[in-house]
Amino acid sequence: MATVKRKAESGSRKVDAGSGTKKVPPAYRNSPSRKEAWRGPIERLAWGGMGVGRSEDGRLLLLEAPLALFPGEVVEAEVIWKARHGEGRITNWVTRDPRRAQAACPVAVSCGGCELWEAGRHTADLKRQMVADLLRRQVGEGVPWTWHPAPDTARRHRIQLHWDGAELGYFKRHSHALVPVTECPAAAEPLSHAIPRLLAALDGRALPARPGRWELATGTPADTVWATDERGRTWILEPDGWHRNAEPIRHLLGEATLQLEPGAFFQVSPPWAAEAFGGLLESWDVKGQTLYDLYGGVGLFSALLGHRFSHRILVESGDAAVTWARRNLEAAGLSAECLVADVAAWVPEGLGAPEDVILLDPPRAGLEATLCDRLATAGAGTLVLVGCDGAAFCRDVKRLSGAWRLDQLAVLDLFPLTSLVECVALMTKRP
């Protein structure tokens, strides 16, 4: 049974100059100021890595944890109550599931980068439970979907670190306080090994030592390491140290080769992403006359689909990305029009013909409502929707469902050790 114990209101008390009354800032933004101590079992896992508990009066409680949660564990948390539910952060485990494994990361509890350490070999199943909760509530109980867990070898090929002038590391969870690191077991080995080399160069002023963000990235296969600062300046790691570099990062992804400038947005784990997306689209037999590759980046999907299309039209808002997409597709011998444009503004009514495919991989916020309205008038016969935010993806699937029938739904674990996933839908135009 869950128990609740009220805790004194937190925060410094200030006196209102006009009334003389004391004001207490809320413990959480837009929330009541009173926090309560809660103790009870985790009933199930919810989308976003949340654990679900219950108050004594039956109200739902969503609990955030710094490590993986297993259903059935008893925890203690600090919670705030809203009108119909509560939200809180777990502060202690009373009972721990015996399936827990020792975290390979020494700063797992404090670092804000991963939240599924200690799940061990059960990570994929816990993530599947989170996804099932989302799809059941947002898409429907009876909608079939497939789950594609990440292989144990999947690692991050780019990481963002922060330098405060003295230490290098990740931000602490819910804070801009620094958690110093000298390694990162979630990253590809060359990146992890490059962290102390970057720290030494910053500390010794061999690199610009102004506090700020640094990105470390590697290609596929993971070997060479690039370091990019906030101003977009790039250095490459050589045996004798860091040297200024203007060469692109190269990813050899099966039959596809993609190049991009260091610091540019790309898949976190490119080898696994290419394998997962490529295998999925092939199993769905995605092919046609013209591929409308919208939010196309540097050409990942156009390259993966290769000669399954006679022609490609790639639309992306970033100039640099389109420049590299054009080069990548030309090098692959794939005819394409690569356009710099805002997708929502570019898509016309009646886009495409029945033998064409529209593929959309929008930013995390998903599709604009007006774009969904125009896609409802499209002449293309097939639509593939990709989304890295599960809630926004489900919203967009529902927005499109009046004109497009959902035929296939898949969820890919492209973000190991986090609660994030990539969702993909195959939809057919309704008559």
Side-chain angles (χ1 to χ4, degrees), residues 102-122:
Q102 180 68 36
C105 177
V107 294
V109 174
S110 57
C111 177
C114 306
E115 70 264 42
L116 293 182
W117 284 113
E118 293 195 358
R121 61 188 179 89
H122 302 283

Side-chain angles (χ1 to χ4, degrees), residues 171-296:
F171 281 149
K172 187 177 181 180
R173 189 170 282 104
H174 304 300
S175 169
H176 280 178
L178 206 64
V179 178
V181 298
T182 56
E183 62 176 337
C184 179
E189 193 171 84
L191 294 188
S192 185
H193 290 170
I195 294 175
R197 299 284 301 276
L198 178 60
L199 173 60
L202 291 169
D203 193 46
R205 302 302 190 264
L207 290 174
R210 180 179 179 179
R213 184 184 69 248
W214 283 82
E215 178 170 295
L216 291 180
T218 187
T220 305
D223 42 33
T224 304
V225 175
W226 287 260
T228 305
D229 69 2
E230 287 185 332
R231 294 175 58 183
R233 297 174 295 183
T234 301
W235 290 259
I236 197 169
L237 182 58
E238 301 284 1
D240 62 342
W242 298 92
H243 297 271
R244 284 298 298 268
N245 172 74
E247 293 296 314
I249 297 176
R250 175 177 296 183
H251 295 282
L252 305 178
L253 306 172
E255 297 182 1
T257 299
L258 297 176
Q259 296 187 100
L260 62 151
E261 63 182 1
F265 176 81
F266 197 58
Q267 294 291 327
V268 172
S269 181
W272 164 229
E275 177 186 342
F277 281 131
L280 182 68
L281 296 175
E282 182 176 358
S283 70
W284 287 352
D285 198 25
V286 175
K287 61 184 179 182
Q289 183 64 30
T290 297
L291 172 66
Y292 292 94
D293 189 355
L294 308 183
Y295 305 99

Side-chain angles (χ1 to χ4, degrees), residues 271-356:
W272 164 229
E275 177 186 342
F277 281 131
L280 182 68
L281 296 175
E282 182 176 358
S283 70
W284 287 352
D285 198 25
V286 175
K287 61 184 179 182
Q289 183 64 30
T290 297
L291 172 66
Y292 292 94
D293 189 355
L294 308 183
Y295 305 99
V298 298
L300 173 64
F301 287 105
S302 287
L304 290 178
L305 289 166
H307 296 284
R308 287 177 162 266
F309 291 87
S310 301
H311 187 57
R312 294 141 210 88
I313 297 178
L314 182 147
V315 183
E316 167 62 48
S317 62
D319 291 288
V322 171
T323 297
W324 282 110
R326 191 176 293 116
R327 293 175 182 173
N328 290 331
L329 298 179
E330 286 178 356
L334 301 173
S335 66
E337 297 177 55
C338 298
L339 310 174
V340 178
D342 176 73
V343 170
W346 180 86
V347 171
E349 292 190 356
L351 178 65
E355 63 273 17
D356 298 335

Side-chain angles (χ1 to χ4, degrees), residues 10-12 23-35 80:
S10 62
S12 59
K23 288 186 174 181
V24 182
Y28 295 89
R29 181 179 295 176
N30 300 324
S31 68
S33 60
R34 182 154 47 198
K35 289 194 292 186
I80 56 173

Side-chain angles (χ1 to χ4, degrees), residues 101-177:
Q102 180 68 36
C105 177
V107 294
V109 174
S110 57
C111 177
C114 306
E115 70 264 42
L116 293 182
W117 284 113
E118 293 195 358
R121 61 188 179 89
H122 302 283
T123 303
D125 182 59
L126 295 181
K127 291 189 75 166
R128 184 192 57 77
Q129 293 180 44
M130 300 172 199
V131 174
D133 172 79
L134 174 74
L135 297 181
R136 175 182 56 81
R137 291 184 294 104
Q138 298 293 331
V139 180
E141 193 81 52
V143 177
W145 56 283
T146 59
W147 168 241
H148 302 258
D152 293 338
T153 55
R155 292 291 183 273
R156 300 178 189 179
H157 281 225
R158 58 184 181 90
I159 57 175
Q160 289 190 346
L161 300 163
H162 300 272
W163 163 252
D164 66 1
E167 295 179 310
L168 182 70
Y170 295 111
F171 281 149
K172 187 177 181 180
R173 189 170 282 104
H174 304 300
S175 169
H176 280 178

